[in-house]
Every structure is written in structure tokens, then in C-alpha cells.
Amino acid sequence: MESTKQEQAALGLQPKNPGWLDRIFKLSAHRTSVKTELLAGLTTFVTMAYIIFVNPNIMADAGIDHGAAFVATCIGAALGCLLMGLYANWPVGLAPGMGLNAFFTYTVVGEMGYSWQIALGAVFISGVLFMIMSLSRIREWLLNSIPMSLRFAMGAGVGLFLGLIGLKTAGIVVDSPATLLTMGSFGEPTALLAALCFLMIAVLSHRNVFGAILLSMLVVTGIGWAMGLVEYNGLVSMPPSLAPTWLAMDIAGAFNVAMVSVILAFLFVNMFDTAGTLMGVAHRANLVNEDGKIENLSRALKADSSSSVAGALVGCPPVTSYVESASGVAAGGRTGLTAVTVGVLFLIAMFFAPLAGMIPAYATAGALIYVAMLMMSGMAHIDWKDHTDTIPAIVTVVMMPLTFSIANGIALGFLTYATLKLLTGQRDKVSISLYVLCVIFVAKFAFL
């Protein structure tokens, strides 16, 4: 222990009189400094700042006031980051989840016909359930009972669903009476600019350009302005009113049998995405103890689940941990000061509402398509040799975009998995919780 302190002192990480930030975030113990943590926070914010432009556009399609959705996005993200930083002391940024926001708008509100207030009520209920699970052993029991192949498939399926939304928004894919879907026209400037945004993000990301997604969206917006497709409304102003979404959730309306699968979809995708992100970031940030246990993992999960509840109060879809946090960890972030920095920057971003209102749908579509591609990488971890694992995973991934519903994709994937395992003599691979979920999903398809 003494030698460790001597090494830290030699590196300039063990101050003689630790300041209040060092005491709160244990900077010296994590071999980091205030300067490093602030830079890491800035790095994480820039890599995930695209959400403050993308999420309001998606939520506006559900009928939510764009300005209120913008402020709700910033506040929901800030609350999540502050909870994660101050309570769990983890260098993880949080914001409304990509994919879940599209499911909220285009499936729950658009296809199923529920009001956005009821959809927010479902988000709130799923967040409360996640909190209860995080406070008990239920979380570990449920996490361990869902097969790995289906966990990876859920993330990839959400990515494919998100990609379809992006392609549809850009006009690259359009509806067709003859073939259901067909190629749009690249003669349309919006489709061309969306494709340009996607390609620019891909190239800049490959070259490790700082803030590739945000930079590409701003460049394409600038091109659109030069072409007369974007109207300049200024850059800075006082934040719009949050009143349209503040405590607007309809919890009573969400207590509907038909909403069970929606609540479960919000819960499962959020829970597994969070668990995967947190465990991945923990290893990169050296938060794993010598005995293999992850430091403060329980607190991090509680902070994440609490963030979804807080986000629903202000008008956000489920708030979740962002894998982009790995960029801040790569920049040296090791403590909650990184997350707190991200949260403060989200609060400052509220004053850039005119800029957020200028970002066109085709710019956000390019970002959606790129993020969708990244989410598809989970399929690489599936055991392709066992068809009783592979086929349910493919069903999950394919049926999410084809039915335009994350909930339907999860239900059909789970039912396929249980059926194949039972009929091939692998009953021991199907957990009790999976049986219970399958009964719920069968009832959903049979009676709703």
C-alpha cells in the first residue's frame, strides 16, 4: 500500500493535501487528476452530443413539442450523468437510449396508437421495475436466465430497427405497393445529404476524428443551409419551456394488458444494454478488482435505473448508459468526475436550442444509420454452430424491423428459442423465467 502511494506521488497523482474533488471522487486512488477527468468528460460529451439533436426530432414525431423534448433530453441526460458520477463514481455518460426512442415514437405511439403520455407512463413503470430489480437479487436471476444469444440478438435487432427508421426518414428506403419497400431517389437532396452524413461519420470515425458524429451532422446542416434547405435561427437563447412534458406521463393509462409487452421491451432492452455497457466500460477503466469483482457495479446499475425514472418525469424515453463513454475512458477518465463533467455540459447545451432546431431530419438520419451499424456488431458473439441458438437470434433481429416493433421481435425470438430447445431435448437450457415470459407472450398474441 505504501509503495503504491509512493508511485502515485512520483506520478504527481498523490497530492500532499488532497482537495475536495480528490476526496469526493478518489482521484488519487484511481491514478488520475482533475485535468484528465475534465478532458475525458469533454471527450465523452462530444461523442454522444448527437443525442441532443436526434432525440428531439424523433420525439417530435410522437407529437411532443420539439423545444420541450430538447430540454427534456438535456435534463434527463444531465440527471443520469450526475447520479452515475456522484453516487457510483463511474466515468459513464447517460442519455435517452437510441432505439428505444424510435420504439417509443414509431411503434407505441405511431403503430399501436397510444398517446405519448401513456408511452411515458410505460417508460416510468419499466424504470421502477428496473429499480426494484437493481435493489434485489431479481436482477441477477433474470440476467442469468436469458440466453446469451438472445441478449446479443436484442441489441442487434434494435440496431436494425433503428437503421430502418434512419433509411425511411432519409427517403433512401420508401414504401411500395408492389414490393412493400423499395429504393428511394438519390435525386432528392435530402436522401443524398443523409447518405453523405452517414459516409462522413464512417470515414471520420475510422480516422479517430474527435466528435465525428457531431461534426458530420453540423457539416451536412451547413451544406443544407447553403442550399436553402435550412433556415438560420441563431445559435444561443434561453432554454424553451419544459412545461409540455413535465410530469405529463399517464401512468394509469399504461396499466393496460396490451402494454405489458411494451413495458417488458423497455425493461429488457434497457437492462441488457446497460449491463453490457457497464461491464465493458468497467474493464477499460480498470474498475475490476483483483478477485474479478467490478467495483460499485451495483451502485452503477441503481444509478442507471433511477435515471430512467427521473427521465420519464421530465419527458424522456428510457435513459441509459452510453457505450460512447469508452471514448472518455480512453482519454483517461476513471472516476465519477468524468460523468459529472458530461452532465454539466448537457445542462449548458440547453442554451443552444436554436441550433438544435436547425438540425434537419436528414442529418439525424445519417447518424441513426451509422449507430445502427455499430449496434449490429453483437451478432458476432452468437454461436453460429448451434442452430437452436442461431435461429431464435435471427428471428429476433429480423422481426424487430419487419414488424416495426422491438416488443414483437423479443416475443417471437423468445418463443422460437423455447420451442426449439424443448423439441430438441434441451429442456435444461430453458429457465423458469423464460417459460413465464413465453406464457405472457403467447397470451399477448392470442388475445390482443
Side-chain angles (χ1 to χ4, degrees), residues 124-444:
F124 179 83
I125 294 171
S126 70
V128 171
L129 291 175
F130 193 6
M131 280 185 65
I132 293 172
M133 292 170 62
S134 297
L135 295 170
S136 66
R137 294 181 177 273
I138 300 176
R139 181 196 71 239
E140 295 179 14
W141 173 70
L142 191 57
L143 280 172
N144 294 330
S145 64
I146 305 299
M148 290 298 297
S149 59
L150 292 181
R151 297 188 212 177
F152 290 123
M154 278 191 278
V158 170
L160 201 57
F161 176 68
L162 194 63
L164 180 60
I165 298 295
L167 292 169
K168 177 177 176 290
T169 301
I172 296 174
V173 170
V174 297
D175 65 316
S176 167
T179 60
L180 190 64
L181 293 175
T182 189
M183 175 78 78
S185 171
F186 279 103
E188 295 292 329
T190 54
L192 195 60
L193 288 172
L196 174 63
C197 185
F198 163 69
L199 292 172
M200 189 181 299
I201 294 172
V203 172
L204 294 181
S205 296
H206 178 75
R207 294 181 174 277
N208 296 316
V209 174
F210 186 63
I213 297 179
L214 180 62
L215 179 61
S216 300
M217 290 173 61
L218 293 176
V219 168
V220 169
T221 299
I223 295 174
W225 173 70
M227 296 174 64
L229 301 175
V230 175
E231 183 178 349
Y232 179 75
N233 296 316
L235 295 178
V236 181
S237 72
M238 291 300 293
S241 172
L242 185 63
T245 58
W246 172 246
L247 298 181
M249 56 195 179
D250 184 355
I251 300 174
F255 277 106
N256 185 311
V257 177
M259 291 294 286
V260 171
S261 62
V262 171
I263 293 171
L264 289 177
F266 280 136
L267 175 63
F268 288 159
V269 174
N270 192 6
M271 181 172 61
F272 291 120
D273 183 54
T274 294
T277 298
L278 291 180
M279 286 187 282
V281 171
H283 285 280
R284 295 187 185 188
N286 298 322
L287 295 174
V288 182
N289 298 328
E290 294 179 359
D291 57 1
K293 292 184 179 180
I294 299 177
E295 179 183 334
N296 284 341
L297 176 60
S298 178
R299 285 194 168 212
L301 286 167
K302 291 172 186 174
D304 190 289
S305 58
S306 301
S307 299
S308 286
V309 175
L313 297 176
V314 298
C316 283
V319 175
T320 188
S321 300
Y322 264 54
V323 71
E324 284 86 351
S325 302
S327 63
V329 171
R334 295 293 181 270
T335 73
L337 182 54
T338 293
V340 169
T341 302
V342 178
V344 171
L345 290 172
F346 269 117
L347 290 177
I348 294 174
M350 288 194 299
F351 294 92
F352 291 86
L355 175 61
M358 282 168 31
I359 304 294
Y362 52 79
T364 58
L368 289 178
I369 297 168
Y370 177 76
V371 173
M373 302 295 180
L374 297 184
M375 295 177 73
M376 288 292 293
S377 63
M379 293 297 285
H381 301 290
I382 294 173
D383 182 9
W384 292 91
K385 296 178 181 178
D386 187 347
H387 288 179
T388 60
D389 276 343
T390 306
I391 292 174
I394 294 175
V395 168
T396 302
V397 173
V398 171
M399 295 309 289
M400 282 189 190
L402 292 186
T403 62
F404 223 64
S405 170
I406 292 174
N408 285 340
I410 291 174
L412 292 170
F414 280 31
L415 289 170
T416 304
Y417 181 91
T419 301
L420 290 181
K421 292 298 183 182
L422 287 173
L423 296 180
T424 56
Q426 302 180 67
R427 296 182 180 179
D428 58 316
K429 298 290 183 67
V430 184
S431 63
I432 295 176
S433 60
L434 198 57
Y435 280 121
V436 173
L437 292 172
C438 285
V439 170
I440 294 174
F441 291 141
V442 168
K444 171 188 181 298

